[in-house]
Amino acid sequence: MGHNKNFKIHSTSTNNGNFENPDSMNVDGLAIDEAGASSNLPNERTSADYYFDSYSHFGIHEEMLKDVVRTKTYQNVIYKNDFLIKDKVVLDVGAGTGILSLFCAKAGAKHVYAVECSDMADMAKEIVETNGYSNVITVLKGKIEEIELPVKVDIIVSEWMGYFLLYENMLNTVLYARDKWLVDNGIVFPDKASLYLTAIEDAEYKEDKIEFWNDVYGFDMSCIRKQAMLEPLVDTVDQNQIVTNSHLLKTMDISKMTPGDASFTAPFKLVAQRNDYIHALVAYFDVSFTRCHKLMGFSTGPRSRNTHWKQTVLYLEEKITICEGEFIVGSMSVSQNKKNPRDIDIMLEYSFNGKNCAVSKTQCYKMR
């Protein structure tokens, strides 16, 4: 999940945290041909408008399949825990090309229902046939909320995560499927997701991306700066830019939570690990498959191997001059946009009182 938004690339990290590290991408010879034509849709359209149409394009699926951390983790989870899959009925929510369904079928699933709302469902059917799994995988084109299954399922597998974990709001679709189609004590893959916050020094890029609008060839275009500040950037952050600890904002248990739990307010405290400046806060997430024989999962953090989700950068209005041991305290509120529920509204309240400066602010952001 997750569309390409404007982003920069600082560096490539290799550590994948405490989770088992995926090997290089290998889908064991499955005949999946992903062309590379990405869509160029009008900027004025919101994610609610183009969401399903955009997932009809091959380029998005190519990017996700080539994300080795993402795809190899799912492959390892399914193949190394085939005792959970064998002879079970599986529901793949938002199946895309059907890669997760194919993994499950190869692991011995009794039957897999692959549900995909976009026109990629037509390609998924052909891919399933090409690879000889038509007797095991049924591809259903439509929304989870509208399709019917002949039976309840033992396992739900989905790659629903968006930028900032919650962008595009596919989580609610997974929860709907869980409540309607999953048997009691059934398994959801993945079943845990955690959102983290840290702070970075980023003077050079903030100057280039934000402050640029204050003086454009001698003209004041600061009205655009205000708009640029509202939009978080999807960005690959160099781990050397990190100034503070990471704070756990929210952990979601996908097997138990309700849709309303995806909107929340959480406090945070970020403690400086060195003397530096802070220009932005950075959010990232981890996902875990806790029902596996051995804990598996991956992180999208700056200290982990890069993924297509990158990180989400929220620039602060004013830089903070912070000394080692000093801290920023505040709270972050996250909610669906009322007009376009696939978009996210973020409100950040924070304060800092240090030796060299003091700041108290409320800033609002909108991911769209």
Side-chain angles (χ1 to χ4, degrees):
M1 294 292 297
H3 292 292
N4 253 335
K5 297 168 76 67
N6 290 331
F7 67 92
K8 56 174 173 154
I9 296 179
H10 286 307
S11 70
T12 299
S13 309
T14 56
N15 176 29
N16 199 44
N18 296 321
F19 298 116
E20 184 171 324
N21 190 29
D23 302 320
S24 60
M25 179 73 172
N26 177 3
V27 292
D28 292 343
L30 296 175
I32 300 174
D33 180 19
E34 294 289 340
S38 59
S39 60
N40 291 308
L41 295 163
N43 290 335
E44 64 269 24
R45 298 182 70 193
T46 69
S47 60
D49 296 316
Y50 66 68
Y51 178 72
F52 290 119
D53 180 62
S54 65
Y55 277 96
S56 300
H57 292 265
F58 302 116
I60 289 172
H61 297 279
E62 178 185 11
E63 179 187 30
M64 293 189 292
L65 288 169
K66 287 181 176 177
D67 184 337
V68 175
V69 174
R70 164 199 182 268
T71 310
K72 192 66 177 178
T73 297
Y74 276 89
Q75 186 187 46
N76 285 341
V77 163
I78 293 166
Y79 286 0
K80 294 185 178 182
N81 296 274
D82 57 354
F83 62 91
L84 295 174
I85 307 292
K86 187 172 175 56
D87 299 325
K88 296 296 196 298
V89 179
V90 179
L91 172 59
D92 182 356
V93 178
T97 58
I99 187 66
L100 303 187
S101 296
L102 290 161
F103 290 159
C104 290
K106 187 168 183 177
K110 178 181 179 181
H111 203 86
V112 182
Y113 295 97
V115 180
E116 172 60 38
C117 192
S118 78
D119 288 339
M120 185 55 63
D122 301 324
M123 298 302 299
K125 288 181 182 179
E126 186 172 340
I127 290 167
V128 167
E129 292 173 4
T130 299
N131 287 278
Y133 286 104
S134 295
N135 61 326
V136 180
I137 301 173
T138 300
V139 178
L140 299 172
K141 186 176 182 179
K143 296 180 180 179
I144 282 288
E145 296 82 357
E146 297 172 359
I147 59 99
E148 289 293 328
L149 301 179
V151 295
K152 287 209 168 186
V153 302
D154 303 296
I155 299 169
I156 291 176
V157 62
S158 180
E159 194 278 86
W160 53 266
M161 299 80 70
Y163 298 131
F164 192 74
L165 182 62
L166 298 169
Y167 179 62
E168 294 178 334
N169 192 31
M170 189 177 161
L171 174 58
N172 280 356
T173 299
V174 174
L175 300 182
Y176 179 93
R178 179 202 67 188
D179 293 342
K180 185 169 184 179
W181 297 114
L182 189 64
V183 300
D184 293 340
N185 299 314
I187 297 174
V188 181
F189 278 158
D191 59 325
K192 294 286 177 64
S194 298
L195 186 66
Y196 292 86
L197 193 67
T198 190
I200 63 168
E201 181 281 324
D202 203 19
E204 183 178 352
Y205 195 73
K206 186 185 180 190
E207 182 69 26
D208 178 63
K209 189 69 177 177
I210 305 295
E211 307 305 339
F212 163 78
W213 297 106
N214 290 328
D215 183 354
V216 182
Y217 297 98
F219 296 96
D220 184 344
M221 297 188 183
S222 56
C223 57
I224 298 180
R225 180 191 184 279
K226 295 176 183 177
Q227 183 64 32
M229 285 293 298
L230 288 174
E231 298 186 12
L233 292 179
V234 175
D235 192 340
T236 300
V237 172
D238 187 332
Q239 61 179 314
N240 294 321
Q241 293 177 266
I242 300 171
V243 178
T244 71
N245 64 308
S246 290
H247 183 97
L248 174 61
L249 283 172
K250 178 77 171 178
T251 294
M252 300 178 185
D253 185 338
I254 316 307
S255 62
K256 298 177 182 177
M257 68 181 288
T258 66
D261 293 338
S263 295
F264 62 89
T265 298
F268 64 84
K269 181 179 181 179
L270 300 175
V271 183
Q273 297 173 333
R274 64 172 184 261
N275 293 355
D276 212 326
Y277 303 98
I278 290 174
H279 299 91
L281 301 188
V282 173
Y284 63 92
F285 64 88
D286 296 351
V287 294
S288 305
F289 300 78
T290 70
R291 297 289 293 272
C292 296
H293 179 65
K294 178 182 178 181
L295 177 65
M296 301 181 76
F298 61 83
S299 174
T300 65
R303 290 191 169 94
S304 299
R305 187 173 179 177
N306 289 341
T307 70
H308 78 281
W309 288 285
K310 306 177 181 71
Q311 293 88 44
T312 301
V313 179
L314 302 95
Y315 282 106
L316 304 181
E317 285 284 357
E318 301 176 18
K319 75 177 180 186
I320 294 175
T321 305
I322 197 167
C323 298
E324 182 178 356
E326 294 181 341
F327 52 86
I328 304 168
V329 295
S331 66
M332 177 178 282
S333 298
V334 177
S335 60
Q336 297 174 17
N337 181 271
K338 292 181 179 179
K339 183 178 180 181
N340 300 299
R342 295 195 182 277
D343 298 347
I344 300 175
D345 292 334
I346 302 168
M347 184 174 72
L348 185 66
E349 297 183 31
Y350 61 97
S351 61
F352 171 74
N353 191 0
K355 182 175 73 173
N356 295 311
C357 75
V359 178
S360 182
K361 287 276 187 180
T362 298
Q363 290 184 233
C364 295
Y365 306 85
K366 186 176 294 185
M367 291 199 75
R368 59 191 177 93

